[in-house]
Amino acid sequence: MKEKTCYYCGTKYPAEEERCPLCDQKETEAEEIDEIPAELKPSAKPAQTEEEPVYRPRRRKKNGNAFATILCIVLALAVVACALWILNSIGALSLIRETPADPSSLTLPVETEKPSITSISATPEKMLFTAAGQKNLIQVAYLASDGSLADPLGQTAFTSENPEIATVSEVGEVTAVAAGTATITVHYDTFSAVCEVTCAFDGVANVPEVTPDELAAPETDDAAKPENDEETKPETEETAETEPAFELSKSDFTLFSAGEKAKITASGVPEGAEVTWSSNNASVATVENGTVTAVGPGMTKVTATYNGETLSCIVRCRFAEDSAPVVTATEDGVSLSYEDVTLSKPDETFKISLLDGETKISGVTWSTSDSSVCFVDGDGTVHAVGSGTAKVIGSYNGIKYSCIVRCRF
């Protein structure tokens, strides 16, 4: 197919066409063409006028980007610091603490030093049993350097020098075994006290066997006395009659709240006779005419004096859970709210708790060593059942904590 070229725009098109399909110009001779119109030239660029602004893209400055980055970091740090200050001011940020500029300006709490124990005593000093299996409890008083009673800070141990005659438990309960005599020794720290036990079954106590030398020893004039001597005459009913013994109705009991009262009566005192009452530590308990009133947590000794004879009763004030515990905490800071309680009547109760400092611990399993003496509910409420001594045990995290419960009625 033949083609021809437009002289105006240079477009090639079929030769049979009369006009250029692009510029619609009719084919003419080359010499007749003076000049191709400027507007038909494809490569022609429009002339710029002075009024039209020339656009030149502006290059960004690198310094401007760095400044913006630094500004954003500063603003972010300012926002974080403000948030921390607000949290600290409302107490939500417990890890932030204000450190004083001068450490010497810190004031440390002053711990009150407890009076040290200087001696112990055992009550009663002598025991008499008339049948095997009889029991009695040794009460231990811990005397402080200021003359008051104090709670022990360590373990108290009891030993019997003659266990085939009388045994003693770890809480001081003595049990008669056979006729004879035995000495029970109480050990605390470097101090000790003794209780002499006599087991006189059927009215006769066994005596130590004598050696052959002693049997061969000649009798003295003092030993050979006539049968009709006044000193060997049997006692008559008149001479056997004596005045009733001076005794107290209680020897050890516990009060559980400030202001609680308990009455101690004295027997063997003629009507109208005067008995003098006193308390070893009035900050723990006071006494007036035998009525004891609890004042503060601790332990004291109430004494009654009549006709030159003085009897004593231990009073333990173990207050409710909201009071500071008066027991000694273990190394892990855990302790029982009570460690030694005396109940003086059947069905008397108290509630025991396991404490971490002053916070009550939940999930404790409670049990008793002798349910015939007392039993304990799942919430720690202890009930008196019968006379005797038992342990209430709280188990927590595989560790056992025990409280001595003495039922004296």
Side-chain angles (χ1 to χ4, degrees), residues 181-346:
T181 59
T183 299
I184 306 299
T185 305
V186 184
H187 303 274
Y188 173 76
D189 197 11
T190 58
F191 310 108
S192 63
V194 297
C195 172
E196 300 295 338
V197 177
T198 301
C199 296
F201 301 166
D202 298 328
V204 178
N206 289 346
V207 295
E209 296 180 1
V210 296
T211 63
D213 294 337
E214 291 173 333
L215 291 175
E219 295 183 354
T220 62
D221 294 339
D222 293 334
K225 292 185 178 180
E227 294 182 358
N228 60 352
D229 190 276
E230 293 182 359
E231 294 182 7
T232 60
K233 289 181 180 180
E235 293 183 349
T236 62
E237 294 183 0
E238 294 181 357
T239 58
E241 291 181 359
T242 58
E243 294 183 359
F246 174 43
E247 296 179 348
L248 297 182
S249 59
K250 300 179 185 293
S251 61
D252 188 330
F253 64 93
T254 302
L255 300 177
F256 299 96
S257 61
E260 184 180 355
K261 297 180 183 295
K263 180 69 175 178
I264 304 175
T265 58
S267 60
V269 178
E271 185 178 354
E274 183 179 355
V275 178
T276 303
W277 298 89
S278 64
S279 172
N280 185 263
N281 190 345
S283 65
V284 175
T286 59
V287 60
E288 183 176 359
N289 294 329
T291 301
V292 180
T293 304
V295 178
M299 184 169 64
T300 186
K301 182 186 289 186
V302 171
T303 59
T305 303
Y306 165 70
N307 198 23
E309 184 179 358
T310 299
L311 301 178
S312 63
C313 172
I314 296 175
V315 179
R316 309 171 192 267
C317 291
R318 307 292 197 219
F319 290 172
E321 297 169 8
D322 54 357
S323 301
V326 294
V327 300
T328 303
T330 60
E331 293 181 359
D332 56 0
V334 177
S335 62
L336 289 173
S337 55
Y338 304 106
E339 67 173 6
D340 193 328
V341 174
T342 302
L343 303 178
S344 54
K345 58 184 178 180

